[in-house]
Amino acid sequence: MSSLRFKAVEEASNRKPVMVDIPKERPVEYYASKVFNRAKMFQYLPLKTYNALINAIDNKEPLPREVADSVARGMKQWAIDNGARHYTHWFQPLTETTAEKHDGFVEHDGKGGMVEEFSGKLLVQQEPDASSFPNGGIRNTFEARGYSAWDISSPAFIIDNTLCIPTIFISYTGESLDYKTPLLRALSAVDKAGTAVARYFDPEVKHVIANLGWEQEYFLVDEALYSARPDLVMTGRTLMGHESAKNQQLEDHYFGSIPKRVEAFMLDLEIEAHKLGIPCKTRHNEVAPNQFELAPIYEETNLANDHNMLLMSIMHEVARRHNFRVLMHEKPFAGINGSGKHNNWSLGTDTGTVLFSPGKTPKENLRFITFVANVMAAVHRHNGLLKASIMSATNCHRLGANEAPPAIISIFAGSQLSEILNKIKNSDKDELIAMAGKEELNLGVAQIPELMIDNTDRNRTSPFAFTGNRFEFRAVGSSANCASAMIALNAAVAEQLADFKCKIDGRLADGEDLHHALLAEIKSLLLYSEPIHFDGNGYSDEWKEEAAKRGLDCETNPALIFDAYLRPSSIEMFRKTGVMTHVELEARNEVKWEMYTKKIQIEARVLGDLAINHIIPVATRYLSILLDNMVKIRELFPGNKGMELSSQDAVTVEKIMHHCSIIKEEVGKMVNARKDANKIENERDKALAYSLNVAPCLDTIRYQIDKLELLVDNEMWPLPKYRELLFIR
């Protein structure tokens, strides 16, 4: 075995679980201890300031500057009392990571010393350099000014010794350069439009809140093995590697006993997350070996998204303490399941009503069907845009494989809801059919109590499924910022609800009663959205053909999928809802195309280097050994006997030479294709060239290397193999 690989495998095999410093208190006692939440605000702020801040948060109103000064004083004191020495505006640029610039709580005192200072001006606004972040041409390199501004709805928190203040990030000319700004706009739009429709059923409703519950899937790999794989280090996935004889085919890892090393990591992560107010609740083994999942209690969408971005950051830090590396890539290993981040999304009112939950009265069921029908219409109208919102160079490896939703957006409603929707569509009467709640299931076994069965099943093949009182957007990738999908979804639903309100008000103005007006428009929406409704197997080839006939967006090339953002219907939708301007959309698409190109470019460079400088030399060395062995056999056994004894080696030699020849040829083609693509100035055309001419070379080269892995002496193979990477010891 090669020395580096041998040392890595030996080191990983000898790992023991790391002891976790478990707090003496119960989680409920230290939960949010590092968060400037309402309890801390009440403790550290003057009552007048506290009331003004809470009023601004709850009623979505601007915060006066004098109140900001008072908040800053209290926030600074709380941060210093908890060991903070610096503060930062924590924001989410278009890199799909987070960013921060740290400043100390210090100013000159005018006497040669320093004082600890933090004003409302510093709390509300900072000026980070905007030139080096992706901006899609909005900013020139020499135009560096950008602004970050405090998001009062997401509480500040402390990481290590730094006070982190969640903020938006915009250019000097006011365009958004982040995910939070358009997300807040989309949530505001769906609040306004949703509230207007909800008041048909309850005039007391003041706000509609979008809630999000993400499910974060991820892989863990031992740090030593990770470091011995340059492809994992540089790209987040294995660019080569033959399947292990055993992977997930026995289905024994899913929900299995959690390995002790992993359980220690999970416990440590949960403790850190709970201190930061991230409500982690569920943990389990996922389908693939070394794959796991973490899920929280649902929260308001903006806060939930902040918590997911924060969690992904601290996951990497905690993993290092346990000698792991976290892989967030959607498909880090070929031949086994990839990772998603299912976004469970719902709408609720400030009066406590879940708008996607069936009720006990005809009025409640009418409200339920109203909002479901509008969501289905919105998803149908913008199915291409929703697909574009979750597409990336990494997620395209996962979508369409037999463990993930296909690259076609459809809605699963379940048998009971589908039956009701069909009866409404086909009925001549203005009546609703009640949707049953949970039903009892008696198994006939005395030791087992009666079970409560939900009114809808789950469909793992559906990218957008109704699951009882929410919709599950399953197609979101594990490494993605949830905001991308939530911006598109909430904006699309806001547009649809606003259109619905206009039509209902028009009918009411013509003298029609509300009940009949609602049912008539619902029926119209259900008929319109019929093509998007599909409860069958989304993995089947038949569905792909059927989806095309229905007029759904079936494009699979990421570079072309991104075009959906710039369709007239998308531009108009984002304009009407106030979420993004045409300029911002064009800029974001430039960034999407550029990021796609760069990721494929990096993968091509890494694979080319590994193939030519690692794999080929090892294969050549082994080839030399085989040839030398053949010569010696024929010298020892002259004639036909020697030929027969060396014939198997001759076959292996021929195969190795064949694979090496193709690898060299394909690497050459890939390099030339990359050079040709790099000459293209238009970002869309360059991304298209990379997707059509460079990306296919990666698969071809990988296939040949994986064949070599089975031929070359195991002791000589330079990189840790799948059987070593995928099973935590």
Side-chain angles (χ1 to χ4, degrees):
M1 187 180 292
S2 63
S3 58
L4 180 60
R5 175 180 157 213
F6 175 78
K7 289 178 182 177
V9 171
E10 183 179 40
E11 189 174 339
S13 299
N14 293 329
R15 299 281 193 208
K16 302 297 181 185
V18 174
M19 296 298 295
V20 180
D21 185 15
I22 303 175
K24 294 180 181 179
E25 307 94 334
R26 302 294 298 166
V28 293
E29 297 175 289
Y30 62 80
Y31 184 78
S33 60
K34 294 184 177 182
V35 182
F36 195 61
N37 57 13
R38 297 193 181 202
K40 311 295 193 324
M41 293 176 190
F42 187 80
Q43 179 183 354
Y44 279 86
L45 301 180
L47 184 59
K48 184 178 179 180
T49 301
Y50 172 81
N51 288 333
L53 179 57
I54 297 304
N55 179 65
I57 294 171
D58 289 347
N59 296 312
K60 307 180 189 302
E61 296 178 355
L63 189 71
R65 181 54 66 96
E66 61 271 15
V67 175
D69 285 328
S70 183
V71 172
R73 287 192 292 271
M75 188 183 292
K76 180 202 71 175
Q77 190 58 52
W78 169 76
I80 291 174
D81 288 349
N82 284 272
R85 300 171 63 90
H86 294 79
Y87 65 91
T88 183
H89 275 196
W90 182 83
F91 57 96
Q92 301 168 26
L94 300 179
T95 56
E96 298 207 348
T97 57
T98 57
E100 53 200 64
K101 179 189 73 172
H102 297 191
D103 288 297
F105 288 114
V106 290
E107 295 290 345
H108 285 297
D109 66 355
K111 302 174 185 177
M114 304 191 97
V115 294
E116 291 180 323
E117 188 61 57
F118 185 55
S119 66
K121 178 181 178 181
L122 296 174
L123 168 62
V124 170
Q125 179 178 318
Q126 276 194 334
E127 191 179 306
D129 187 334
S131 64
S132 296
F133 289 105
N135 59 69
I138 286 179
R139 307 292 292 147
N140 291 314
T141 302
F142 58 85
E143 297 174 319
R145 196 182 299 275
Y147 296 113
S148 56
W150 177 32
D151 172 17
I152 65 173
S153 65
S154 187
F157 53 90
I158 294 174
I159 293 284
D160 296 327
N161 298 310
T162 302
L163 170 67
C164 300
I165 303 159
T167 64
I168 64 169
F169 181 45
I170 60 174
S171 72
Y172 176 69
T173 47
E175 293 90 358
S176 64
L177 296 174
D178 67 340
Y179 282 101
K180 181 182 277 285
T181 303
L183 176 62
L184 290 172
R185 292 171 181 166
L187 295 176
S188 177
V190 82
D191 175 14
K192 180 181 178 181
T195 299
V197 174
R199 283 177 178 165
Y200 287 137
F201 308 95
D202 181 1
E204 299 301 315
V205 173
K206 295 180 180 178
H207 290 291
V208 164
I209 302 100
N211 295 305
L212 171 63
W214 39 264
E215 302 169 21
Q216 181 68 60
E217 295 176 338
Y218 60 95
F219 280 83
L220 287 176
V221 175
D222 187 89
E223 187 166 35
L225 296 170
Y226 171 90
S227 298
R229 291 283 312 217
D231 48 354
L232 277 179
V233 174
M234 302 298 289
T235 73
R237 76 178 181 109
T238 53
L239 298 176
M240 63 187 73
H242 198 280
E243 288 186 34
S244 171
K246 177 186 182 297
N247 46 52
Q248 66 185 45
Q249 68 266 48
L250 296 180
E251 301 175 334
D252 54 344
H253 190 257
Y254 191 50
F255 280 21
S257 177
I258 300 172
K260 293 301 179 185
R261 281 186 64 196
V262 177
E263 191 172 9
F265 157 77
M266 289 178 167
L267 176 59
D268 201 356
L269 177 62
E270 287 170 356
I271 292 170
E272 294 294 334
H274 287 160
K275 289 178 182 177
L276 290 165
I278 305 172
C280 297
K281 182 177 178 68
T282 303
R283 66 188 191 190
H284 62 82
N285 288 3
E286 255 300 334
V287 174
N290 279 22
Q291 189 186 33
F292 308 94
E293 181 179 296
L294 180 153
I297 301 170
Y298 291 20
E299 299 177 288
E300 183 274 328
T301 298
N302 178 48
L303 180 59
N305 189 62
D306 281 359
H307 279 166
N308 182 248
M309 296 303 294
L310 178 57
L311 179 88
M312 289 197 292
S313 178
I314 64 174
M315 281 179 81
H316 291 289
E317 181 181 340
V318 173
R320 295 292 294 273
R321 294 206 292 258
H322 292 261
N323 300 302
F324 283 127
R325 287 301 183 108
V326 176
L327 303 182
M328 293 291 187
H329 194 290
E330 282 75 8
K331 194 75 172 178
F333 301 101
I336 60 174
N337 280 17
S339 297
K341 179 152 49 191
H342 308 158
N343 280 204
N344 294 277
W345 170 81
S346 67
L347 295 176
T349 70
D350 59 330
T351 59
T353 299
V354 179
L355 295 173
F356 299 141
S357 182
K360 297 180 180 179
T361 67
K363 185 176 182 180
E364 290 174 342
N365 281 326
L366 181 58
R367 180 199 63 221
F368 162 67
I369 294 295
T370 295
F371 278 89
V372 168
N374 274 280
V375 170
M376 294 182 73
V379 173
H380 178 228
R381 186 191 300 190
H382 294 291
N383 69 93
L385 173 65
L386 290 173
K387 179 166 63 176
S389 75
I390 53 87
M391 181 51 66
S392 66
T394 54
N395 204 24
C396 70
H397 291 287
R398 167 178 166 263
L399 296 181
N402 281 347
E403 91 278 346
I408 303 169
I409 299 297
S410 64
I411 293 179
F412 168 83
S415 57
Q416 190 178 150
L417 178 57
S418 293
E419 181 181 356
I420 292 172
L421 297 179
N422 288 332
K423 286 183 178 179
I424 294 173
K425 282 187 295 186
N426 300 323
S427 174
D428 294 329
K429 300 178 181 179
D430 290 338
E431 61 181 8
L432 277 175
I433 298 91
M435 187 167 181
K438 293 189 176 184
E439 300 178 356
E440 293 182 354
L441 176 65
N442 192 319
L443 298 179
V445 181
Q447 296 92 331
I448 305 297
E450 290 182 338
L451 305 179
M452 300 304 293
I453 305 303
D454 286 289
N455 53 27
T456 179
D457 199 355
R458 291 179 180 270
N459 186 326
R460 288 179 56 83
T461 74
S462 174
F464 198 90
F466 177 72
T467 55
N469 59 5
R470 61 192 182 276
F471 286 91
E472 184 179 12
F473 199 175
R474 293 178 50 83
V476 182
S478 54
S479 68
N481 187 322
C482 296
S484 181
M486 290 295 101
I487 291 166
L489 177 59
N490 283 287
V493 172
E495 177 199 42
Q496 174 56 45
L497 288 170
D499 289 350
F500 181 79
K501 174 76 164 51
C502 287
K503 291 179 180 178
I504 294 297
D505 288 350
R507 285 177 175 271
L508 296 179
D510 291 338
E512 194 171 351
D513 69 86
L514 179 61
H515 181 83
H516 289 87
L518 288 170
L519 278 174
E521 286 301 322
I522 288 171
K523 182 181 292 188
S524 176
L525 292 180
L526 294 178
L527 290 169
Y528 165 73
S529 61
E530 266 187 324
I532 203 76
H533 181 191
F534 178 67
D535 286 353
N537 179 10
Y539 294 164
S540 68
D541 291 333
E542 290 80 7
W543 165 235
K544 295 175 185 177
E545 295 176 7
E546 174 64 22
K549 292 178 183 177
R550 295 186 184 191
L552 301 182
D553 191 312
C554 299
E555 181 59 60
T556 58
N557 187 310
L560 298 178
I561 287 173
F562 294 143
D563 286 344
Y565 272 98
L566 297 177
R567 290 174 184 164
S569 59
S570 299
I571 294 170
E572 178 63 10
M573 181 271 289
F574 282 119
R575 184 198 64 79
K576 285 197 303 185
T577 55
V579 174
M580 281 188 280
T581 65
H582 193 175
V583 171
E584 288 173 320
L585 286 171
E586 288 182 327
R588 280 166 193 271
N589 255 33
E590 288 288 303
V591 172
K592 288 179 181 292
W593 284 315
E594 185 180 5
M595 293 295 286
Y596 175 84
T597 295
K598 288 179 178 178
K599 288 183 178 180
I600 302 300
Q601 184 183 73
I602 291 170
E603 288 188 351
R605 288 174 173 172
V606 171
L607 183 57
D609 171 57
L610 289 175
I612 300 302
N613 298 319
H614 293 68
I615 303 303
I616 294 294
V618 167
T620 302
R621 261 197 317 272
Y622 184 58
L623 189 65
S624 179
I625 292 173
L626 290 178
L627 290 170
D628 185 58
N629 188 51
M630 288 171 61
V631 171
K632 290 178 179 177
I633 288 175
R634 290 173 182 176
E635 288 178 351
L636 187 60
F637 301 99
N640 291 335
K641 183 67 173 177
M643 295 292 290
E644 290 175 6
L645 291 174
S646 63
S647 60
Q648 189 57 50
D649 282 348
V651 171
T652 304
V653 164
E654 187 176 353
K655 288 181 179 179
I656 292 175
M657 291 176 64
H658 173 73
H659 294 310
C660 287
S661 175
I662 295 178
I663 290 170
K664 291 176 183 177
E665 182 181 346
E666 289 298 322
V667 168
K669 287 181 182 178
M670 182 175 67
V671 170
N672 290 331
R674 200 173 71 233
K675 289 180 179 178
D676 290 340
N678 291 340
K679 296 175 184 177
I680 301 172
E681 294 186 3
N682 180 277
E683 291 295 347
R684 179 186 181 275
D685 293 343
K686 184 186 292 185
L688 189 58
Y690 263 88
S691 68
L692 295 175
N693 303 325
V694 180
C697 294
L698 296 171
D699 295 332
T700 303
I701 295 167
R702 180 191 186 122
Y703 176 83
Q704 301 299 328
I705 292 176
D706 290 354
K707 290 295 184 181
L708 276 181
E709 184 181 319
L710 297 179
L711 296 171
V712 173
D713 184 358
N714 179 65
E715 295 290 317
M716 297 178 65
W717 195 254
L719 305 177
K721 297 185 176 183
Y722 271 26
R723 67 169 182 264
E724 296 153 354
L725 288 165
L726 283 172
F727 298 94
I728 292 172
R729 296 157 180 83

